[in-house]
Amino acid sequence: MIAFAILMVAQVANGQAPAGDAPAAPVSEATTTAPATPLTVVLKWAPLLLKGFIFNIVISVASMALGTITGLLLGLGQISQRKWVAKLSWFFTQFFRNSPWLVLLFFAMFMIPFQITIGSVTIPLPDWFKAIIGFSLPVMANVSELLRGAIRSLPSGQWEAAESLAFTRTQTIWKIILPQCVKRMLPPWMNLYSLITMATVLASIVGVGEMLTLTAQVHAAEGGRPELFAPLYGFAGLCFFAYCWPISKLTQRLERRFNVKT
Amino acid sequence: MAAPQATSAPAWTPDQPIIRVKDVHKSFGSFQVLKGMSMDVKKGEAICIIGPSGSGKSTLIRCMNALVDITEGSITVENQEVNDPNLDKLKLRRKVGMVFQQYNLFPHKTALQNVMMAPINVLKQDKKEVEERAHALLKKVRLTGKENNYPGELSGGQQQRVAIARSLAMRPDIMLFDEVTAALDPETVKEVLVTIRELAEEGMTCLLVTHEMKFARDVADHIYFTDKGVIVEHAPPEEFFDNPKDERTRTFLGQIL
């Protein structure tokens, strides 16, 4: 029985569990009190765990969106001709880029109040909202640096040509520089998205009910049996892999295409 | 041609030099690139500036549209002082077109869009009218049929002609050409030079930094020879090529011809 369980664990963890075989062996030995097999446990809880996974995706998309918008602003700040704006933007970029994501998450969790009151309206700020803010901080810093790098990688002739055609600096940035940066930034930006998606499980540490939190709860609910550890967490790993791997493949394809074209 | 302008400078009349360069100095850090250059350019003239690399000729024309600030001296374009902290650079640049060695087309825009961008965004002109003009300009530089090609799909010579059309779309009074054929394959040099020659013959004021001696001889009204940041000698082309006065000019021409 134990040997079988270990085998199952290994198979589930590898994502190769043959569905047809699963019920066959244990049934013969099963008594009414015998614990369920790892696979049936995973299948039983899969809908709940997947709901948790969707929550991870929601957090990742929202923090990516927020971080991208703020990051583009910060990146533009870095190339500002106003010295103090450039300095300040540089500082924030470096600070948030070189802090552990978990620290930034804690930072957001404990610095942001649990509710804000504007006049007579009280808006609660739930944990998942704070998590989005927390994850958007490293996204912001990385997008800022991506933008700065993309701008710097453009030949200076683009600026000169625009200048000599009497474009203002703002017009040059919006009409000529930024459109050319989009293509350069897209692959690393998608990479960053993958990373932030995988990092959303950190939110379990601060008690947000995402997939890893639920996985731990399910594990506890099933009596914390050691043999369930690998299948349950393996399932979580598989979900992230299934989501992030295609993104990484697409990123590689884009990188190759852009390299050939320009 | 010259539109009336609200400046404190006395209004420019076409009988005055359109560009006046007086004792211009320029340093990059401790390195002196220009050590006192002077020249007058009349409206409609074609000027060729030749000289060894690093002699400051590119820097000189870049000063004329304020891409490079000068350290000392004076440049006026249609009586507008370029060496003036309050200079409206954008206004100056609308009058002075510039074409670069590396074309510097906007790679994310088609040939037609490249030509249309500045008039629409900078001069806020009507899109339809600009589009008609852009088609006419591309026809003028013999690129009809390439309107919808991106720069990456065009040859160097074709890209350079788009760049010329793009500058002309701003209806400048002066065109600056900074070694525009230096990066081109020999067989495409000619098509670009023909285009510039037509412009000069139509009466556009043209300043070219170039190594094309034959072109300089045929097209230029006046030739300036620069070396180590100074103008060594200047003369009409026949005199310059047939009877150079300065030893440095003779050495240079001896090497190049």
Side-chain angles (χ1 to χ4, degrees):
Chain A
M1 181 61 197
I2 292 169
F4 176 77
I6 292 170
L7 190 69
M8 274 302 292
V9 164
Q11 280 181 330
V12 171
N14 287 331
Q16 296 167 341
D21 292 354
V27 164
S28 59
E29 269 188 282
T31 65
T32 43
T33 55
T37 66
L39 185 67
T40 39
V41 170
V42 169
L43 286 177
K44 186 172 93 186
W45 293 106
L48 178 75
L49 295 176
L50 284 174
K51 255 187 218 159
F53 182 58
I54 289 171
F55 196 42
N56 284 79
I57 294 176
V58 169
I59 293 178
S60 70
V61 170
S63 42
M64 197 66 190
L66 186 62
T68 301
I69 294 166
T70 49
L72 290 176
L73 293 174
L74 198 61
L76 286 175
Q78 283 204 84
I79 60 156
S80 170
Q81 285 183 315
R82 287 196 196 95
K83 275 270 159 55
W84 66 271
V85 175
K87 277 264 160 63
L88 211 63
S89 308
W90 174 86
F91 174 78
F92 278 116
T93 302
Q94 295 307 322
F95 180 78
F96 287 118
R97 218 166 82 94
N98 295 295
S99 307
W101 294 6
L102 188 57
V103 172
L104 294 178
L105 186 63
F106 273 108
F107 183 76
M109 282 295 164
F110 301 115
M111 297 299 280
I112 301 172
F114 69 96
Q115 62 179 36
I116 47 171
T117 307
I118 304 165
S120 58
V121 190
T122 299
I123 305 165
L125 298 175
D127 278 352
W128 57 264
F129 176 82
K130 293 195 225 171
I132 288 171
I133 306 271
F135 286 122
S136 76
L137 293 174
V139 173
M140 169 184 81
N142 280 284
V143 167
S144 166
E145 202 61 0
L146 282 181
L147 179 65
R148 195 182 67 93
I151 291 174
R152 280 190 58 174
S153 77
L154 290 179
S156 62
Q158 293 291 309
W159 291 91
E160 284 188 337
E163 266 183 82
S164 69
L165 288 166
F167 277 79
T168 63
R169 190 173 160 88
T170 312
Q171 286 170 334
T172 306
I173 288 172
W174 285 99
K175 299 282 177 182
I176 291 157
I177 302 300
L178 287 185
Q180 295 186 59
C181 288
V182 171
K183 216 164 90 171
R184 284 158 205 258
M185 285 177 67
L186 196 57
W189 181 80
M190 285 166 59
N191 244 333
L192 181 63
Y193 175 66
S194 263
L195 290 176
I196 208 79
T197 304
M198 290 185 273
T200 50
V201 296
L202 292 176
S204 65
I205 300 174
V206 289
V208 176
E210 50 70 66
M211 191 180 203
L212 210 67
T213 312
L214 293 177
T215 305
Q217 286 169 358
V218 164
H219 190 219
E222 289 290 335
R225 287 189 288 142
E227 72 267 28
L228 287 177
F229 195 87
L232 283 172
Y233 284 91
F235 178 68
L238 268 181
C239 288
F240 279 95
F241 178 78
Y243 184 72
C244 291
W245 189 65
I247 296 176
S248 137
K249 281 315 252 188
L250 184 63
T251 308
Q252 283 173 6
R253 276 234 310 265
L254 284 178
E255 262 169 357
R256 270 202 301 272
R257 219 181 66 200
F258 291 165
N259 276 344
V260 172
K261 251 202 123 181
T262 53
Chain B
M1 270 287 269
Q5 32 179 297
T7 66
S8 53
W12 176 76
T13 52
D15 55 309
Q16 296 171 317
I18 192 165
I19 301 175
R20 263 195 185 124
V21 179
K22 261 189 231 149
D23 197 31
V24 165
H25 289 71
K26 170 69 192 174
S27 308
F28 291 109
S30 62
F31 179 63
Q32 264 205 309
V33 193
L34 305 181
K35 301 171 188 164
M37 286 191 174
S38 301
M39 67 167 65
D40 279 352
V41 181
K42 291 206 232 11
K43 183 174 162 50
E45 268 189 324
I47 303 291
C48 282
I49 305 169
I50 63 179
S53 335
S55 63
K57 50 199 192 309
S58 282
T59 308
L60 177 66
I61 68 167
R62 273 157 192 262
C63 293
M64 291 177 187
N65 70 347
L67 273 187
V68 174
D69 299 325
I70 62 180
T71 316
E72 230 185 287
S74 152
I75 297 178
T76 61
V77 173
E78 293 180 2
N79 278 356
Q80 177 82 49
E81 176 57 59
V82 175
N83 189 14
D84 172 358
N86 298 318
L87 168 76
D88 182 351
K89 289 185 180 178
L90 301 180
K91 203 171 129 196
L92 168 76
R93 288 171 186 156
R94 284 176 206 172
K95 291 187 290 204
V96 186
M98 184 153 195
V99 185
F100 301 87
Q101 181 176 350
Q102 299 297 341
Y103 339 127
N104 297 346
L105 291 181
F106 306 131
H108 60 301
K109 298 281 180 183
T110 64
L112 189 71
Q113 289 168 336
N114 262 280
V115 179
M116 291 171 62
M117 266 187 98
I120 288 177
N121 291 299
V122 175
L123 302 177
K124 313 281 180 209
Q125 289 172 341
D126 175 61
K127 194 176 168 212
K128 250 189 108 179
E129 189 255 329
V130 172
E131 190 168 342
E132 275 171 34
R133 185 145 39 102
H135 277 290
L137 283 167
L138 285 175
K139 189 177 172 207
K140 181 187 171 79
V141 299
R142 295 181 192 82
L143 284 173
T144 303
K146 300 286 183 192
E147 289 87 351
N148 297 318
N149 286 85
Y150 284 89
E153 302 163 344
L154 300 173
S155 76
Q158 289 170 335
Q159 289 190 56
Q160 197 57 294
R161 284 179 286 152
V162 174
I164 293 173
R166 180 177 70 173
S167 276
L168 291 175
M170 292 291 282
R171 295 196 169 119
D173 297 345
I174 300 160
M175 285 286 282
L176 307 174
F177 297 91
D178 187 6
E179 300 199 34
V180 291
T181 58
L184 296 178
D185 296 330
E187 64 266 30
T188 58
V189 167
K190 202 177 157 198
E191 62 193 41
V192 173
L193 292 181
V194 165
T195 304
I196 299 173
R197 183 182 192 141
E198 283 171 0
L199 268 181
E201 281 165 358
E202 284 166 19
M204 172 66 76
T205 308
C206 294
L207 276 90
L208 291 98
V209 169
T210 186
H211 292 294
E212 299 290 334
M213 294 304 147
K214 188 176 175 319
F215 177 83
R217 188 177 194 129
D218 293 349
V219 177
D221 296 304
H222 211 81
I223 293 181
Y224 285 81
F225 176 73
T226 60
D227 188 26
K228 298 195 176 77
V230 294
I231 292 168
V232 174
E233 137 165 44
H234 64 95
E238 305 76 38
E239 194 185 326
F240 179 83
F241 284 108
D242 300 336
N243 191 15
K245 297 202 170 42
D246 195 281
E247 184 53 42
R248 280 174 287 179
T249 318
R250 279 198 287 270
T251 315
F252 179 75
L253 289 176
Q255 283 164 350
I256 215 162
L257 291 178

